[in-house]
Amino acid sequence: MNSVTNRQSSLGLLASAHFLSSPHFDDRPPKTDIDLLVIHCISLPPEQYGAEYVEDFFLGKLDCSLHPYFQQLESVRVSAHLYIKRDGQLIQFVPLDKRAWHAGLSEFADKSRCNDFSIGIELEGDVNHPYTSVQYQCLATVTADIQQRYPLITLDRITGHSDIAPVRKDDPGPHFDWQHYFSCLNSKDN
């Protein structure tokens, strides 16, 4: 492992990801175990892919005059740790050891404030369309890496945004194939 990789690991950065530093994060509470992985989806504008609007949104640089939908995002400050584009490109916005602002009002296993103890991964997509095979492969690879770093994130502690905020959220949606994802993840372990 070279010194750059060592530095990235110590800072909670993944060598496999392109890093863009979001301002939308802060420190986790002291002595917090990172033990949850949350899968989300996002597309801006909804159901449109390929532009860099999501990246701009997470970086706090989205020009909200570019599309009518963006106007409702004017004062929203959100980020995820990781973002997987339709082509499988992996982008990291927040170091894994920091608290990204991805889950909002949420609860998992009778514990609230999921941002405190979770890692959030956004998939470029929406609840009405299937995800790509390269997204599943990338998601499985990065999940295996995260589980090595944070062994408390077991399979039963990987969940969807809709499961931790069911009244507010419906992502990653019915087209997210959990069985296929776990199958891809299982193949990484073998």
Side-chain angles (χ1 to χ4, degrees):
M1 190 180 281
N2 62 36
S3 61
V4 173
T5 305
N6 279 333
R7 196 174 107 252
Q8 287 178 323
S9 294
S10 67
L11 297 175
L13 302 181
L14 299 176
S16 60
H18 176 66
F19 182 64
L20 300 173
S21 183
S22 173
H24 305 147
F25 75 95
D26 56 8
D27 290 327
R28 295 180 188 272
K31 299 180 182 177
T32 298
D33 288 327
I34 300 170
D35 61 2
L36 182 66
L37 182 63
V38 181
I39 310 298
H40 305 259
C41 72
I42 188 170
S43 58
L44 292 175
E47 299 188 20
Q48 295 182 31
Y49 313 131
E52 295 185 356
Y53 297 131
V54 172
E55 291 94 315
D56 290 345
F57 180 48
F58 289 161
L59 294 172
K61 298 178 181 180
L62 181 63
D63 181 349
C64 293
S65 70
L66 293 176
H67 191 279
Y69 180 82
F70 296 167
Q71 292 173 5
Q72 64 188 304
L73 303 176
E74 185 72 45
S75 62
V76 177
R77 303 295 174 250
V78 173
S79 63
H81 291 93
L82 300 161
Y83 173 52
I84 303 173
K85 298 189 74 145
R86 303 293 285 181
D87 63 2
Q89 180 185 1
L90 179 64
I91 301 172
Q92 184 167 5
F93 291 94
V94 175
L96 300 180
D97 56 336
K98 300 296 182 183
R99 177 172 53 190
W101 303 341
H102 64 95
L105 185 63
S106 53
E107 182 178 307
F108 183 84
D110 296 324
K111 191 174 172 185
S112 62
R113 300 178 50 96
C114 292
N115 284 344
D116 291 351
F117 56 93
S118 68
I119 291 172
I121 301 178
E122 292 272 5
L123 299 173
E124 183 179 25
D126 62 84
V127 299
N128 297 316
H129 296 93
Y131 299 91
T132 67
S133 60
V134 291
Q135 284 181 297
Y136 285 108
Q137 289 301 320
C138 181
L139 179 59
T141 299
V142 77
T143 299
D145 188 353
I146 288 168
Q147 287 181 306
Q148 284 186 337
R149 294 166 185 249
Y150 300 101
L152 295 177
I153 299 177
T154 54
L155 291 182
D156 62 334
R157 297 195 62 85
I158 299 174
T159 192
H161 198 191
S162 58
D163 296 317
I164 64 170
V167 174
R168 298 183 307 109
K169 298 296 180 177
D170 58 0
D171 59 311
H175 292 282
F176 184 77
D177 188 338
W178 287 98
Q179 185 175 353
H180 179 60
Y181 164 49
F182 286 129
S183 175
C184 292
L185 183 57
N186 186 49
S187 71
K188 301 291 179 195
D189 294 335
N190 296 327

